[in-house]
Amino acid sequence: MARLIVLGGGVAGHTTATFAAKWLGSQHEVVVVTPNSKWNWIPSNIWVGVGQMTKEEVTFDLAPVYAKAGITYKQAKAVSLNPEGNESSDKPFVTIEFTEPSKAGEVENLEYDYIVNATGPKLNFDATPGLGDGAGQMGEHTVSVCTADHAVHASHELQKSIEKMKAGERQKFLIGTGHGMCTCQGAAFEYIFNIEHELNKAGVRDMADIKWISNESFLGDFGMGGLHMKVGGYVVSSKLFAESLFAERNVEWLIGAHTSKVENGKVEYELLDGSKGEESFDFAMLIPPFAGVGIKAFAKDGEDITSTVFAPNGFMKVDANYAAGAYENWKASDWPRTYQNPTYSNMFAAGIAFAPPHIISKPMSSPNGTPINPTPPRTGMPSGIIGKAVAHSVCDLITKGKNAHLHEASMAEMGAACVASAGKGVFSGTAAAMTVYPVVPDFEKYPGTGRDTDYTFGEIGLAGHWIKHILHFMFIHKAKLNPGWTLIPE
Amino acid sequence: MKKEEMNFQKSDEFSRTMIPGSFARKMRTCVIWQFIRFVAINIKMLVVVSKSH
């Protein structure tokens, strides 16, 4: 019997574990190690953050689902990896620390044959002074929608602001990124327009000033270097459409901004031109930068080999080209295909946890040397597809032997469908429905825009909202392993 | 001044982009048109999804 351990129970980890358990059956063991007791459909946190959904509608308990799937579930966090075993055993193992209340703080060494790192990110609030509390958690000055609990808190704060506006007090909303190296601009984009939509519904829009602050060098970059779409006979940059939506909804923007400090009611920032400034706010939702979760790695003799297994940002090294060098040398082929660790072949990474070879957007920095550019998005559909490919590879390695062919899922060869909400409502809601193909532009295959414009498109409307709402139910149905779950694509 | 043209004067950045007119805005929430777009977008997305697996 072989044992596969999956670290993380988010989109990538859950997909890997559930498909591996289905394909391997009861002959082999699949273990999930995740510090959370609940699964969270993160895209709908936006609606929790404006009070249009409850935490219970976007989460469910993992334990019964894993029991149904025959998966061993450990509510714990991974602390360190010993991919060569230790002095008393050659068997690789991972050290975990339980977060389950009844066993909190207990440590266990779990041996494995294969391991998939799908931990997702550490929300690195403390990278920006004042954005965090100094102890790794969100600070007191801003809100977040990165977790369901954060979104519930954000909703309460939003309601307080709405009450103030109803009482005649003008409010300034600042939404965007809390650092020059953030990703997930899409989530902030959704949140700012959902807030604008809710303020309209509450009849207080005229009492609100809404401003976007972002590390993108242009609106519509989204960490993917933007995209080009065919519209009305033209091939058009996403910049034009993003700016159009902001202007239509009367939302000002500040781009190319590294948020350098957060205080009560004020952020300090540095722009790409090197200038510095301040922006005041009454309500701010600033996405934190992401980092790896900080797992250490040790060799058999106890030597620290963390830098061999993980990149400096804490994400796991995989089969990517990390020596691509300058922007001019970047190629689509730099991006990983199998997500296998180059040093330890029984180790894989999926979703946000893999270290990308470089960013997708054009790298930028201020004259002061401060890097200000979005880091690559690796969430949603790509996470699920990568998780499934990795599960397939591991299952083949277990059942067919160590020479089995590894399955591939390069972000430079896969597309992604994305629906960004701009307001919730069965008949009044809108969302931008987009597809990109491929996610990472390939300028050798598609000279000009880097993508196939026949399969890269976007439009905003009620249809997009319906799709996003249907996807909410579909993906929770799939994640609960309800009947037909394998028929729903990632 | 038409309502949809109001925002052009609110900032220089707004004045240099495009803002949809009343017809385009109406179509965004027109149930019949959006049902047609719902079908069309789903087909497009399914094609991209099928090319990506």
Side-chain angles (χ1 to χ4, degrees):
Chain A
M1 175 186 268
R3 176 187 279 169
L4 162 65
I5 294 179
V6 179
L7 305 178
V11 171
H14 195 71
T15 303
T16 304
T18 50
F19 274 104
K22 173 182 162 57
W23 291 330
L24 290 172
S26 56
Q27 289 180 310
H28 303 284
E29 185 183 15
V30 176
V31 181
V32 170
V33 176
T34 176
N36 305 313
S37 63
K38 289 180 183 290
W39 193 84
N40 178 202
W41 178 237
I42 293 171
S44 294
N45 285 356
I46 298 300
W47 290 335
V48 177
V50 292
Q52 290 297 308
M53 271 193 178
T54 63
K55 179 185 171 183
E56 289 68 33
E57 288 176 281
V58 301
T59 59
F60 62 80
D61 288 330
L62 280 169
V65 175
Y66 286 152
K68 180 168 68 175
I71 293 169
T72 306
Y73 166 50
K74 307 268 185 184
Q75 191 186 332
K77 63 180 181 181
V79 178
S80 61
L81 286 166
N82 281 63
E84 302 165 3
N86 58 16
E87 288 175 345
S88 58
S89 169
D90 290 336
K91 191 82 176 169
F93 66 89
V94 58
T95 302
I96 64 170
E97 182 183 320
F98 283 88
T99 55
E100 183 185 339
S102 63
K103 299 166 82 176
E106 286 183 28
V107 172
E108 182 181 350
N109 290 340
L110 274 177
E111 292 184 345
Y112 63 82
D113 296 287
Y114 292 91
I115 193 162
V116 177
N117 178 18
T119 55
K122 169 189 167 187
L123 302 175
N124 197 12
F125 288 103
D126 284 334
T128 302
L131 187 64
D133 64 354
Q137 301 300 312
M138 184 176 64
E140 59 182 328
H141 307 307
T142 62
V143 300
S144 152
V145 289
C146 292
T147 71
D149 285 327
H150 286 174
V152 170
H153 170 246
S155 173
H156 290 153
E157 294 300 313
L158 177 61
Q159 289 309 314
K160 287 181 193 170
S161 284
I162 289 174
E163 291 308 316
K164 286 179 184 173
M165 287 186 281
K166 284 181 175 174
E169 186 180 341
R170 198 164 186 84
Q171 294 283 286
K172 167 84 173 282
F173 293 80
L174 186 66
I175 314 292
T177 54
H179 190 274
M181 298 284 280
C182 283
T183 184
C184 262
Q185 288 78 14
F189 173 93
E190 289 187 274
Y191 196 54
I192 198 167
F193 288 111
N194 269 270
I195 283 183
E196 200 271 345
H197 183 74
E198 292 304 318
L199 298 186
N200 267 315
K201 279 165 60 180
V204 292
R205 178 63 183 91
D206 59 339
M207 294 295 290
D209 300 307
I210 309 179
K211 192 158 191 171
W212 171 257
I213 183 168
S214 163
N215 56 349
E216 301 160 289
S217 63
F218 61 91
L219 275 184
D221 180 289
F222 296 129
M224 301 187 297
L227 56 136
H228 289 80
M229 303 168 271
K230 278 183 183 169
V231 181
Y234 290 78
V235 177
V236 186
S237 166
S238 53
K239 174 179 184 288
L240 194 57
F241 280 96
E243 288 183 351
S244 173
L245 185 62
F246 277 70
E248 176 196 344
R249 306 278 282 264
N250 193 17
V251 176
E252 293 184 339
W253 64 82
L254 185 63
I255 50 173
H258 162 63
T259 303
S260 54
K261 191 177 181 183
V262 180
E263 296 175 354
N264 187 25
K266 186 180 80 172
V267 301
E268 295 179 9
Y269 61 81
E270 177 181 347
L271 297 180
L272 275 169
D273 65 6
S275 62
K276 297 183 178 180
E278 294 179 357
E279 196 71 39
S280 64
F281 64 82
D282 298 296
F283 176 102
M285 197 293 290
L286 300 175
I287 298 278
F290 292 172
V293 296
I295 300 172
K296 294 280 186 186
F298 298 101
K300 191 173 176 60
D301 61 2
E303 180 195 354
D304 190 327
I305 54 167
T306 305
S307 61
T308 303
V309 177
F310 295 96
N313 55 12
F315 297 121
M316 184 177 271
K317 291 179 184 173
V318 291
D319 61 322
N321 175 18
Y322 295 108
Y327 175 71
E328 293 70 28
N329 301 324
W330 293 0
K331 291 181 177 171
S333 56
D334 297 338
W335 286 77
R337 305 178 72 82
T338 66
Y339 303 89
Q340 187 179 42
N341 182 265
T343 310
Y344 300 102
S345 61
N346 61 347
M347 199 182 273
F348 292 79
I352 294 173
F354 85 81
H358 43 69
I359 62 175
I360 301 175
S361 307
K362 193 171 184 177
M364 303 262 181
S365 61
S366 75
N368 309 317
T370 307
I372 305 175
N373 39 230
T375 46
R378 315 187 284 291
T379 51
M381 185 174 156
S383 265
I385 292 175
I386 293 167
K388 191 174 181 180
V390 167
H392 226 141
S393 294
V394 173
C395 290
D396 282 356
L397 288 167
I398 290 172
T399 57
K400 296 178 182 172
K402 295 192 173 180
N403 294 322
H405 173 72
L406 298 181
H407 293 257
E408 298 179 351
S410 168
M411 283 175 61
E413 292 171 9
M414 74 169 81
C418 173
V419 187
S421 173
K424 189 171 182 290
V426 177
F427 298 110
S428 63
T430 51
M434 293 177 278
T435 64
V436 287
Y437 189 87
V439 177
V440 175
D442 183 343
F443 288 99
E444 290 178 342
K445 195 170 180 183
Y446 307 106
T449 71
R451 296 194 176 94
D452 189 334
T453 50
D454 287 337
Y455 301 107
T456 301
F457 79 97
E459 70 176 74
I460 186 166
L462 181 58
H465 170 71
W466 290 339
I467 292 169
K468 186 172 172 81
H469 210 158
I470 290 169
L471 289 177
H472 165 89
F473 293 111
M474 274 176 61
F475 282 114
I476 288 179
H477 180 91
K478 179 183 173 78
K480 284 182 173 177
L481 312 184
N482 284 336
W485 69 274
T486 57
L487 301 175
I488 299 170
E490 284 66 45
Chain B
M1 184 187 292
K2 291 178 182 172
K3 188 185 168 191
E4 64 266 26
E5 294 174 8
M6 286 285 289
N7 285 4
F8 281 121
Q9 69 183 20
K10 290 185 178 172
S11 85
D12 289 343
E13 288 168 330
F14 289 2
S15 73
R16 289 192 287 263
T17 188
M18 59 181 189
I19 294 179
S22 58
F23 179 75
R25 290 187 203 208
K26 204 112 187 149
M27 294 305 277
R28 282 186 191 165
T29 50
C30 168
V31 173
I32 296 169
W33 175 241
Q34 287 300 314
F35 180 75
I36 295 166
R37 296 312 303 156
F38 176 81
V39 174
I41 294 168
N42 271 296
I43 291 169
K44 284 183 175 183
M45 285 185 165
L46 283 172
V47 170
V48 171
V49 168
S50 67
K51 282 171 71 71
S52 303
H53 279 70

